[in-house]
Amino acid sequence: MKKLFAILLAVLMMVSVLGCGAAGEGGAENTPVNGDSSTVSGLQIGFDKQNITPEEQVPLSGSANRGYSAGMLDYLYATCLAISDGENTALIFGMDIQNAYSPTPSWRNAVSRATDIPEDRIQICFTHTHSAPNTGSDDPSIGRYNTMVSEKMVKAAKNAIKDLKASEAAVASIETENMNFVRRYIMNDGTLCGDNWGTMAPGIKSHETEVDNELQVIRFTREDAEDVILANFQMHSNYTISGVQISSDVAGAFR
């Protein structure tokens, strides 16, 4: 049980939930910093992915006054991983949304009521794409969108629970340069500045914190089923920020 809870704690730190079959089996060019495999008695893993791309024009999140969406580059997904020891089950969602402070409690409550899993065992993580609907807007289209997302999360949760399979877990991490930068800086006068977008403008004394270049991965190998991979990397997803097309951004490229 202690091993299961240790793995679950690590899983709860993950940002993106990614399902795969043979993907990634060709081998990485870099050498992992560390890695560990573990067989946990009773460990079961299930997975499901639902499309949550809006079906109508919606106001976009991130970077004020971006306006409404116009077209789509790639789909948005809600992914769900179910992890169980045979008695207790927890759910971890990875959402292609910038953030969802307003509807998150109602989404978690809807999933809990539909699955009988306590709300404190339901983790919802957001990829922070700037090219997704602004779920905090009072626009009528967002009301419809948030309702659709709730329904898709319930469906993903039920499917992931049905998909539970006996599993083994392997954990690894690797240092990957140029993935991220510290957005906030300490200025010479002691103030904090977050307007430089990574540039070393005059007056910057130092970074507020160190850059985190660690990519963390947990791979679940399941009996008679596709593997499931969870990945965590610190990145501010905004490479499509200049446009107004729907996109899962970095998370989609990573998948």
Side-chain angles (χ1 to χ4, degrees):
M1 289 296 290
K2 288 184 178 180
K3 285 186 177 180
L4 173 60
F5 290 135
I7 290 178
L8 179 56
L9 180 61
V11 166
L12 290 175
M13 296 173 62
M14 296 294 128
V15 172
S16 300
V17 184
L18 311 173
C20 75
E25 294 185 358
E29 295 180 1
N30 300 312
T31 302
V33 174
N34 57 70
D36 181 43
S37 296
S38 180
T39 301
V40 180
S41 178
L43 175 64
Q44 300 175 46
I45 296 294
F47 178 81
D48 191 59
K49 179 174 68 173
Q50 294 292 320
N51 189 325
I52 57 168
T53 310
E55 297 179 353
E56 61 182 311
Q57 195 175 45
V58 293
L60 292 173
S61 62
S63 301
N65 301 317
R66 293 193 63 208
Y68 284 75
S69 59
M72 182 188 69
L73 290 178
D74 53 281
Y75 294 113
L76 306 181
Y77 289 102
T79 58
C80 181
L81 180 138
I83 180 169
S84 176
D85 62 2
E87 298 179 3
N88 303 296
T89 301
L91 300 175
I92 303 158
F93 286 89
M95 311 290 292
D96 286 336
I97 293 174
Q98 186 197 23
N99 58 56
Y101 303 125
S102 300
T104 296
S106 64
W107 288 349
R108 182 182 286 111
N109 181 259
V111 171
S112 178
R113 286 187 287 107
T115 61
D116 292 326
I117 295 176
E119 290 188 35
D120 60 2
R121 295 182 186 173
I122 301 172
Q123 179 79 10
I124 304 176
C125 306
F126 303 103
T127 62
H128 202 76
T129 172
H130 279 232
S131 300
N134 178 1
T135 55
S137 170
D138 58 4
D139 190 279
S141 66
I142 291 299
R144 292 187 289 272
Y145 179 74
N146 288 344
T147 297
M148 180 269 284
V149 170
S150 180
E151 294 170 351
K152 290 293 186 73
M153 290 178 69
V154 167
K155 184 176 181 179
K158 290 181 176 180
N159 288 346
I161 293 169
K162 291 179 181 179
D163 188 53
L164 284 167
K165 300 287 193 305
S167 305
E168 295 183 358
V171 183
S173 63
I174 188 172
E175 288 293 320
T176 307
E177 295 182 358
N178 301 318
M179 286 183 63
N180 198 9
F181 65 85
V182 176
R183 187 176 180 182
R184 303 215 307 173
Y185 301 91
I186 301 173
M187 310 302 285
N188 288 328
D189 62 4
T191 60
L192 286 176
C193 179
D195 298 330
N196 299 288
W197 296 87
T199 62
M200 296 304 293
I204 292 176
K205 180 179 179 181
S206 63
H207 293 116
E208 181 185 14
T209 57
E210 295 297 322
V211 177
D212 183 358
N213 286 320
E214 185 178 19
L215 170 63
Q216 300 166 308
V217 175
I218 299 179
R219 181 169 188 159
F220 296 102
T221 302
R222 305 191 300 158
E223 290 185 3
D224 301 320
E226 292 181 326
D227 292 358
V228 177
I229 291 178
L230 283 81
N232 178 57
F233 53 103
Q234 302 298 322
M235 180 176 286
H236 191 174
S237 301
N238 61 0
Y239 74 61
T240 61
I241 197 170
S242 60
V244 289
Q245 294 176 297
I246 294 295
S247 173
S248 56
D249 211 297
V250 174
F254 188 82
R255 281 194 290 263

